[in-house]
Amino acid sequence: MSVHATDFIAVEQLLGAHNYAPLDVVLSRGEGVWVWDVDGKRYLDCLSAYSAVNQGHCHPRILEAMIAQARRLTLTSRAFRNDQLAHFYEEIAALTGSHKVLPMNTGAEAVETAVKAVRKWGYEVKGVPAGQAEIIVAAENFHGRTLGIVGFSTDPEARGNFGPFAPGFVTVPFGDPEALERSITPNTVAVLIEPIQGEAGVIIPPAGYLRRVRELCTRHGVTMILDEIQTGLGRTGKLLAEEHEGVEADVTLLGKALSGGFYPVSAVLSNTEVLGVLKPGQHGSTFGGNPLACAVARMALKVLVEEGMIENAARQGALMKAGLESLGSNLVREVRGRGLMLAVELHPEAGGARRYCLALKERGILAKDTHGHTIRISPPLVIAPEQVEWAVEQIGESIRR
Ligand SMILES: *Cc1c(COP(=O)(O)O)cnc(C)c1O
């Protein structure tokens, strides 16, 4: 590493809060699946900013849309209307089959928005007694970092010493529909889950789980909220991960790749009247739905579909999974995933995933360890077959005993 790079790291260490433990690579440029560090070394990005750059780094068409819109109009606030918001509503509603859209900025804000909306819906439509609304969530969930959200996290790191927390959340094991059914009461307004738990280590629930959750929600008059902030927008080889089980959530949360990594854009999509309970003055955001965000998101969705990225994720994901499965390293406990949302879980004897991520970095691949023993592999959806093969080769070399 050059003096240049170590200087950047030293300043970060000195002046930045240490709320992340990044790999020591200082990036300065990106294009498609590639990123370059300040010394000009190239890496294949196998994290994609936690799936925010599904469309690849600095996608030229999104870049053009952003620059063009930035020249015209960036922010009006929702006190006035702008000429991008209606287009964004129409296009995202048509693509996802939703009836109502509420634009926000970060993923966590979309989650908070959904929680507020379903509570209000519970009191005003379902008839839950005041202050009694319950939302069922899954153990090991990850929905963001706000106070409201970490309050229903089960991760001691995420919640430790941040309390007191808001009541009204009930935790059940992920992937267990019977436990979920037992937890439903007349005061249950919603179930909030990820279709695949990404941060927990790419945990795929048993087949049929989402369908069972859908049935239970319908039968008990409970809103089904799917957090597709990470699984959505092509990552798993479908536009939305719910499609793998042929279900439709009542409320779907999108973020991350909704902007192709250019700008924070999130959205709450609803196919019921849940969002209809929100009236002027009851919820909002200065930046939510701004014209720059809308223009960027419109193009981010357009290229995802027009350039076949969703189909490519399915194809390259299958290729990559098969490649990883055939590595035959005795350090590997399991390869799992769907589409290009993949993970290699190592045996504890391998000594933790981070050392292999460091080794991969030396070989020109950036990947992220999670939960000690798991390496997440989630490259941009524009990856080509020869890049998949190269990545699998490098991963194989790095985890050979
Ligand atoms: C990243 C993520 C969030 C939070 O998004 P932010 O933009 O970081 O607030 C919420 N849910 C899931 C499933 C995520 O992966």
Side-chain angles (χ1 to χ4, degrees):
M1 205 185 316
S2 67
V3 177
H4 201 38
T6 47
D7 280 350
F8 280 110
I9 295 165
V11 174
E12 280 195 24
Q13 284 295 114
L14 185 67
L15 295 178
H18 295 184
N19 57 327
Y20 278 90
L23 292 190
D24 282 337
V25 55
V26 184
L27 301 174
S28 60
R29 188 161 77 83
E31 188 185 323
V33 297
W34 303 106
V35 286
W36 285 262
D37 71 13
V38 288
D39 299 322
K41 180 173 175 185
R42 187 177 81 160
Y43 305 86
L44 182 75
D45 183 359
C46 279
L47 183 65
S48 305
Y50 301 94
S51 294
V53 287
N54 284 359
Q55 297 88 338
H57 287 276
C58 298
H59 191 289
R61 292 171 72 194
I62 310 177
L63 177 65
E64 283 312 312
M66 184 168 190
I67 292 170
Q69 185 60 42
R71 287 213 170 91
R72 278 200 300 271
L73 184 67
T74 57
L75 181 63
T76 58
S77 87
R78 298 279 308 275
F80 310 118
R81 300 183 192 272
N82 71 69
D83 70 356
Q84 291 297 308
L85 186 57
H87 290 299
F88 170 65
Y89 283 164
E90 274 181 337
E91 290 163 16
I92 196 170
L95 187 62
T96 59
S98 318
H99 299 148
K100 285 242 174 281
V101 187
L102 201 164
M104 294 294 284
N105 311 286
T106 63
E109 286 176 304
V111 175
E112 291 274 347
T113 301
V115 166
K116 287 173 72 176
V118 293
R119 280 181 169 178
K120 201 161 173 31
W121 170 86
Y123 300 126
E124 296 174 6
V125 179
K126 182 165 174 165
V128 172
Q132 300 298 305
E134 291 166 8
I135 296 174
I136 299 176
V137 298
E140 314 300 328
N141 67 69
F142 183 85
H143 297 290
R145 298 294 194 170
T146 62
L147 209 41
I149 292 168
V150 299
F152 58 82
S153 166
T154 57
D155 176 357
E157 292 283 16
R159 45 183 289 126
N161 286 342
F162 294 129
F165 300 117
F169 297 93
V170 177
T171 306
V172 299
F174 183 61
D176 181 347
E178 278 70 41
L180 191 139
E181 183 164 29
R182 283 193 300 275
S183 301
I184 295 176
T185 75
N187 295 337
T188 305
V189 295
V191 171
L192 164 62
I193 50 173
E194 300 152 83
I196 295 172
Q197 290 189 324
E199 297 310 298
V202 187
I203 308 300
I204 303 179
Y209 175 62
L210 293 184
R211 262 201 308 280
R212 285 284 290 138
V213 174
R214 178 65 276 178
E215 283 162 19
L216 291 171
C217 286
T218 304
R219 171 143 34 98
H220 295 277
V222 169
T223 305
M224 179 178 180
I225 310 172
L226 283 182
D227 179 346
E228 296 243 24
I229 291 167
Q230 189 163 146
T231 55
L233 302 176
R235 176 49 60 189
T236 70
K238 302 271 189 197
L239 178 71
L240 299 174
E242 66 174 18
E243 294 169 40
H244 289 289
E245 294 219 341
V247 302
E248 269 183 46
D250 300 304
V251 174
T252 300
L253 309 179
L254 293 179
K256 295 204 163 109
L258 187 49
S259 68
F262 278 83
Y263 191 91
V265 185
S266 65
V268 180
L269 308 173
S270 139
N271 66 359
T272 66
E273 279 313 297
V274 170
L275 283 177
V277 300
L278 296 174
K279 298 289 180 298
Q282 296 174 349
H283 188 64
S285 157
T286 303
F287 279 83
N290 75 69
L292 185 59
C294 289
V296 166
R298 291 176 65 200
M299 190 55 82
L301 292 174
K302 198 172 157 83
V303 301
L304 197 71
V305 174
E306 281 186 5
E307 298 180 15
M309 293 180 195
I310 303 169
E311 297 78 11
N312 195 55
R315 269 197 309 274
Q316 306 315 324
L319 187 65
M320 198 159 203
K321 188 155 179 253
L324 293 170
E325 280 166 345
S326 69
L327 286 180
S329 164
N330 52 7
L331 298 177
V332 175
R333 183 163 170 256
E334 187 185 36
V335 174
R336 56 175 177 264
R338 193 161 278 164
L340 280 170
M341 188 172 184
L342 297 165
V344 177
E345 187 179 330
L346 304 172
H347 286 292
E349 304 85 74
R354 190 166 171 105
R355 69 178 64 181
Y356 300 96
C357 291
L358 290 169
L360 280 170
K361 177 174 83 99
E362 295 310 309
R363 292 178 169 277
I365 292 192
L366 295 182
K368 172 79 173 73
D369 54 302
T370 184
H371 282 249
H373 305 291
T374 302
I375 308 172
R376 291 161 61 166
I377 310 284
S378 51
L381 311 187
V382 295
I383 195 167
E386 54 282 7
Q387 294 163 342
V388 168
E389 277 163 32
W390 180 78
V392 168
E393 231 172 74
Q394 300 310 310
I395 295 166
E397 291 296 323
S398 305
I399 56 178
R400 208 169 297 288
R401 169 95 81 183

